[in-house]
Every structure is written in C-alpha cells, then in structure tokens.
Amino acid sequence: MRESIAIDMDEVLADTLKKVIFQFNEATGLSIAEQDLYDKKLRTEYPEHVDALNNLLLDKSFFRDLEVFPDAVRVVERLNEHYDVFIATAAMDVPTSFDAKYAWLREHFPFLDPQHFIFCGYKGIVATDYLIDDNPRQLKAFKGTGILYNAIHNQSVEGYTRVNSWKDIEQYFLADK
Ligand SMILES: [Mg+2]
C-alpha cells in the first residue's frame, strides 16, 4: 500500500517569509533581515508592530505570488508518483488567504488532485503517514512521522528529522525509488 505524505505550504513550498519581511519593513520603516529572526518570530519579537503584520497578511492577494522554493515542484511531482501526496495548510490562521492559496497551488502544482488539498487549523487531525512542516507546534500535534523543514525560526527545535531543502526531501523519500 502506498504511504501518504502531507506537505505544509508556507515556508515549506512557498517562501512566505521573504515577502513578509519585505512588506513588514516597508510598513514599519524597520530594516529586518531574515538572519535577525534566528529562533524568533516577527509576531513575538515586534509586538508593537503586530497590526502591521496582520494587515499585510490579510491582503487577499498576499499569498498569490509567493516564490516557490527551489526544486519543490520537481520533487513534489516525483513524490506524487510513489506516495499519496496531500497539501495541509493551516489556512484558518489567515481566512482571507483561501482563494489565493488555492490558485497558487493550481498554478504551480497542477498535477496534484485538488481533492488532496487540506485547508485546516490544527494538524493533529491529519492522518497521513508523514507531515513535512516548519512549525514544531503542528509536528507535535501530528500523530505520524514528522519531518521538520528547516527555517530560521525553528533552529533550536529537536526531535525530528530536519530537512534543509527539497533535495533533502528527495533523498529521504525517493533514494530507493
Ligand atoms: Mg509553514
């Protein structure tokens, strides 16, 4: 029987943080760089600017033009030949993002069955064999095998296989295929 993999969107398939930092700096006049967020999140590091952060995320088109991480399309397409691939995004965190996220997935991953898109909140209910996610809170809730996608904010997280790129994911899941 084929095993199943759920894949997170933001900061796993999509370089969300790059656009967040760019627009956050524009809105606040700050000049934050990604490496300033080692083991930190904007939301907790700059509580006085949480409104600016929320406002940019609530723009209905924010998630529509995010860059796809290198090799993600090619490797997901390969995974899809050997596993049942699902996309699991905590879209409930930003309910205005649904349309843009759906359109983004259809544009970049047209080979995936939209019936395999899971727009959710808490990923403890996702019953796939694997979950690839950058968020340790979601991996902790998940009951299968969690794979931690490396991100600047999760540098001190331990207890999961850490992957640094889609080439790492290819190696982990497809080395023997
Ligand atoms: Mg994520």
Side-chain angles (χ1 to χ4, degrees), residues 41-149:
K41 300 208 101 173
L42 275 179
R43 188 169 294 280
T44 44
E45 211 53 23
Y46 301 92
E48 69 278 26
H49 293 304
V50 162
D51 286 350
L53 180 59
N54 287 338
N55 284 340
L56 70 90
L57 292 173
L58 286 171
D59 183 311
K60 280 184 182 300
S61 63
F62 180 84
F63 293 88
R64 183 63 187 89
D65 62 355
L66 299 176
E67 283 179 31
V68 186
F69 278 130
D71 303 304
V73 171
R74 182 182 62 79
V75 175
V76 171
E77 191 162 19
R78 274 200 74 201
L79 285 175
N80 200 40
E81 291 166 12
H82 299 279
Y83 297 86
D84 289 332
V85 172
F86 293 80
I87 303 297
T89 179
M92 297 311 144
D93 289 346
V94 188
T96 47
S97 70
F98 298 169
D99 288 354
K101 284 191 165 211
Y102 181 86
W104 187 91
L105 285 169
R106 296 297 290 149
E107 177 189 351
H108 296 288
F109 300 89
F111 47 84
L112 290 179
D113 181 351
Q115 296 293 332
H116 284 208
F117 298 169
I118 307 163
F119 283 26
C120 62
Y122 173 68
K123 296 184 190 173
I125 51 84
V126 175
T128 47
D129 296 301
Y130 299 90
L131 170 66
I132 306 169
D133 208 300
D134 64 295
N135 186 333
R137 182 172 54 89
Q138 296 289 12
L139 291 175
K140 192 164 182 223
F142 181 67
K143 295 173 187 74
T145 302
I147 307 290
L148 181 70
Y149 198 93

Side-chain angles (χ1 to χ4, degrees), residues 8-12 133-135:
D8 177 36
M9 286 177 75
D10 295 305
E11 295 179 68
V12 172
D133 208 300
D134 64 295
N135 186 333

